[in-house]
Amino acid sequence: MVQSALRLEVTSDGIGILTFDQPGSRANTLGQAVLAELEATVGQLKARTELRGLVMRSGKPGMFVAGADLKELGAMRPDPELNRRVVRHGHEIILGFEALPFPAVAAIEGGCMGGGLELALAFDYRICSTHPKTDIGLPEVKVGLIPGWGGTQRLSRLIGPSLAAEMICAGDSANAERAKQIGIVFDAVPPERLLDEAVRLVKWAGETGDWRVVRKRKQQPVGLSEEQASFTFAVARAIVAEKSKGLPAPLAALTAIEKGCNLPLEDGLKVETEQFIPLAGSPISRNLIAVFFAGQRLAKDPGVADTSVQPRDVKTVGVLGAGLMGAGIAGAHVRRGIPAAMLDVIPAALEKGVAAITKVMESRIAIGRMTPAEMVAALGKLTATTVLNVMADRDVVIEAVVENEAAKTALYKQLQPILKPDVILASNTSTISITRMAKVWPRPENLAGMHFFNPVDRMQLVEVIRGEKTSDETTVTLVALAKKIGKTPIVVRDCPGFLVNRILFPYINESLVLLEEGADPRAIDKAATAFGMPMGPITLNDLVGNDTALYAGRVVNVAFADRAAPSRILDELVAAGRLGQKSGAGFYSYAKSSRGADDPAFAAILDKVRHGRRAISPEEITDRLFLPMLTEASRCLSEGIVRDPSDVDMGLILGIGFPAWRGGILRWADEMGMAKVLEKLKQYERLGERFEPTEQMRRLAAEARSFYFV
Ligand code: NAI
């Protein structure tokens, strides 16, 4: 027998308690099977003449309803007729609850998201528990959609269109306290009183008839005057347009609210549907949903194929180096309760490191993401030292000293007699071979790379790099440790540049080649940001530092010389002391603002190295930047640098801000189709091997397949 997700009990005084508890799942979601059950239930409820009221609650601890089934949403195709039918079906169920012949209360504890809130909005009242997991919102824009079951309309009528737009267009949610304050819920009560209070409320509503008033109000237009509406929405549109960076969902949500809120609910729902349909099954939405699932896959991935390998229990870590990265890494550990000892040779560097850690925590307190007590506790777990012996009892030691192989290996040798014999040693190097450094370590199976990104407190990605001899146990231990401190680890096989920088460099390099051919730096940056990158490659060089970019780029470019066109620009800039933002000038000048201004002094340097003055179209710039990235990504995949195409895509999304709505570089290619990709590459084959399709790409094109669907 199929187990039911809904269970109805009736109290002796005629109140129906409907418990939503989807079997075999940690969350309640509104997939087709559950919707069919809800539909049948609402039909039965209508006929139960003995009922005086209904309370709906969840049977899952800390979770009301997570929303629509994302697997089903991700499988949607851009088929307007079909999608319209799906939307209508949802509306009918929700309208059924809204029209029950007795008052109804949704008793919310835990996450109440998307479709879950849209269902709860059909009830006459919502009451929530103050459980820390209570979180109420309509996050659809985060997967490229808008609420489609009346959320834009009912929330606007409940809390006002301005606030509703603010929440929906950003996909923000509210905790219990805020939900009460802005009126999404009638009250917020301690968890143990939730059911009793919900029952009390439904009875009170029945006795006073208040529910009829509430219900009637919900059907009405919100009644904004023309003046109020034009002011409210003009401001909101400007904000949303700026924040959404050209993505359609937030603006569509705003349009649904603007055009629907002053109509009767029934017509408002139609307006919402018209805005929803073009987004449903769109590539942007499908990509964002795919990225969500890729994140979930990584969260569950132990890091190796053999699931019997268990991570070691890491109770303490040591961090070598208190510089930019070392301080970030030590701070990330103590913040999650893992004691960290940070070592440096220079006392002043330690002081600066501790100050940097403190500053990050203070800024977290300022935005309410940490309490002063938590900061005190975290700092209590931090040791700053110049004494090597402090590392003697550490389970894992992460090395983040200067990027110099001799310095790193000399330190390893110095520490070897001090550290526990089976310690796991992880280097944060960006460019040095892990396999080579492991040669100086008596137990190379215990040495790996653990490559954090800068700034550590904000960047989620950690590449866990396996040298030739790194063991499965070391790998799973570092993967588990990275997750414990809230990061997303991706396991990468050792190679120059590892995964992210290896794929990033062809893009950076091509931007320099384009400059030499005559492209304008601003035009290059603009093409990249129009594609969706957070900043252009020229600005990125200035930010990272042109000395660092030159040095790191050299490692990759020497290793892959067959496909790296040489460029002299970085050498010239470094020779001229133009290191980027940190020195006040690089490609741009930062004398007046950190945004960077055009600089005639750079134009003079460029003139020296330029060998052309060709007008280059934005389309060519885009192709030239992203196609070499793609061929390198395909090489990484074919060489087994990572184990799954989504590792490549997630690495780029989390590591360099590749636009998530494109799904990553491989999904970008899949969407274009491999035949088209090859056609594009053909146009540039004269430029060399970086524009040559890989064997894998040729095969996929010949067999009409794609990276993900092989
Ligand atoms: P940094 O120059 O800010 O810090 C290095 C620190 O190591 C200095 O405080 C120095 O005094 C200390 N140090 C040098 N030799 C030492 C020794 N023998 N024992 C103890 N401490 C010693 O450098 P940063 O930027 O923090 O880089 C550290 C490592 O992280 C490098 O391997 C770098 O490639 C890597 N990395 C850097 C990133 C960045 O964006 N800066 C990003 C990812 C990795």
Side-chain angles (χ1 to χ4, degrees), residues 25 85 169 350 452 473 520 561 635 656 696:
S25 161
R85 278 205 298 280
C169 297
L350 281 170
F452 289 82
E473 190 193 28
D520 177 59
R635 282 190 194 94
I656 60 166
Q696 179 191 39

Side-chain angles (χ1 to χ4, degrees), residues 321 323-325 344-346 349 400-401 403 408 428 430 451-452 454:
L324 185 68
M325 298 304 288
D344 207 290
V345 277
I346 306 171
V401 302
E403 187 69 348
K408 286 182 193 286
N428 183 48
S430 346
H451 186 218
F452 289 82
N454 178 25

